[in-house]
Amino acid sequence: MMQTQLVVSLFGKLDVVQMADLFEIIQQQNCRALDSHVMTFGSRLEMGLRLSGNWDRVTRVESALHEFAQKHQVEMNIYHEQSPEGREAVLPYVLDAIGLESADIAAALLRFCVRQGVSLREMSTRAYRPARSVERLIQLRAEIDIPTTCHLGQFKTDFFDLCDALNLDAAIEPSRMY
């Protein structure tokens, strides 16, 4: 049976009880939350979800989500997706890098991934000032999918060369999520 997917993005003031209510709405409509991600920015929360179900259940959950967003006065965007047919074989990896705060670290690492034909699944950055330091650091973490056709040893060498050129401490390791 063909499964329809919804990609849902919510932004606003939500607490943990309201987030639990949101997941209950999804379950009540017999849909599944395949992926979810929550981040707080001050008093605001951003939540991303990927839901799956047959088309009539997805239609029902979409209506319920619109009601939820209106009731709690949060911004919401919904995108319809079809389930991926056959995915290319990939190796899931995690890239970590840390160095002096610079706006071009994320851009440089993203350009590197594009040149290597690597897909980005998730990326986050966090700037902070360590204790007893006047310098601000930035930490980057990216979950990527490396095509199995890519030469892994060369990819790692090129990644570490880039990080050396940017003066970053870095690590790459297989993802433990699969």
Side-chain angles (χ1 to χ4, degrees), residues 57-107:
R57 296 295 179 179
V58 168
T59 301
R60 290 179 192 170
V61 80
E62 184 176 1
S63 295
L65 291 174
H66 280 292
E67 289 175 21
F68 177 88
Q70 287 177 341
K71 177 181 176 183
H72 297 288
Q73 299 176 342
V74 296
E75 295 175 34
M76 183 178 69
N77 293 303
I78 295 181
Y79 305 94
H80 290 261
E81 298 281 333
Q82 293 298 322
S83 296
E85 301 276 327
R87 247 182 94 178
E88 176 186 7
V90 295
L91 303 169
Y93 269 77
V94 176
L95 305 178
D96 285 302
I98 188 168
L100 292 176
E101 185 178 37
S102 170
D104 63 346
I105 291 173

Side-chain angles (χ1 to χ4, degrees), residues 100-135:
L100 292 176
E101 185 178 37
S102 170
D104 63 346
I105 291 173
L109 289 171
L110 287 170
R111 284 189 198 99
F112 169 77
C113 287
V114 168
R115 284 191 307 272
Q116 300 288 327
V118 169
S119 300
L120 179 70
R121 241 183 306 114
E122 186 173 321
M123 185 181 85
S124 63
T125 60
R126 185 175 78 89
Y128 65 98
R129 186 181 323 273
R132 301 183 199 104
S133 176
V134 294
E135 299 290 336

Side-chain angles (χ1 to χ4, degrees), residues 4-177:
T4 300
Q5 294 184 6
L6 284 183
V7 177
V8 181
S9 171
L10 295 154
F11 184 76
K13 290 186 178 185
L14 289 175
D15 61 29
V16 177
V17 172
Q18 292 164 333
M19 286 190 294
D21 292 345
L22 182 69
F23 280 101
E24 189 174 317
I25 289 168
I26 295 165
Q27 184 181 17
Q28 287 172 349
Q29 299 304 324
N30 292 325
C31 288
R32 295 179 301 146
L34 301 174
D35 299 307
S36 65
H37 187 78
V38 176
M39 287 188 69
T40 57
F41 298 98
S43 65
R44 305 266 181 215
L45 173 127
E46 179 200 15
M47 182 177 209
L49 298 162
R50 185 169 60 102
L51 313 175
S52 178
N54 60 29
W55 70 269
D56 65 322
R57 296 295 179 179
V58 168
T59 301
R60 290 179 192 170
V61 80
E62 184 176 1
S63 295
L65 291 174
H66 280 292
E67 289 175 21
F68 177 88
Q70 287 177 341
K71 177 181 176 183
H72 297 288
Q73 299 176 342
V74 296
E75 295 175 34
M76 183 178 69
N77 293 303
I78 295 181
Y79 305 94
H80 290 261
E81 298 281 333
Q82 293 298 322
S83 296
E85 301 276 327
R87 247 182 94 178
E88 176 186 7
V90 295
L91 303 169
Y93 269 77
V94 176
L95 305 178
D96 285 302
I98 188 168
L100 292 176
E101 185 178 37
S102 170
D104 63 346
I105 291 173
L109 289 171
L110 287 170
R111 284 189 198 99
F112 169 77
C113 287
V114 168
R115 284 191 307 272
Q116 300 288 327
V118 169
S119 300
L120 179 70
R121 241 183 306 114
E122 186 173 321
M123 185 181 85
S124 63
T125 60
R126 185 175 78 89
Y128 65 98
R129 186 181 323 273
R132 301 183 199 104
S133 176
V134 294
E135 299 290 336
R136 289 183 58 84
L137 298 178
I138 188 162
Q139 177 181 1
L140 179 138
R141 179 175 204 110
E143 294 182 23
I144 60 171
D145 290 328
I146 302 173
T148 56
T149 56
C150 180
H151 187 276
L152 190 56
Q154 187 62 52
F155 177 85
K156 288 180 177 182
T157 298
D158 293 345
F159 171 71
F160 286 121
D161 287 346
L162 172 68
C163 291
D164 285 345
L166 295 171
N167 197 26
L168 301 174
D169 289 332
I172 180 171
E173 60 185 41
S175 176
R176 307 280 189 252
M177 294 197 52

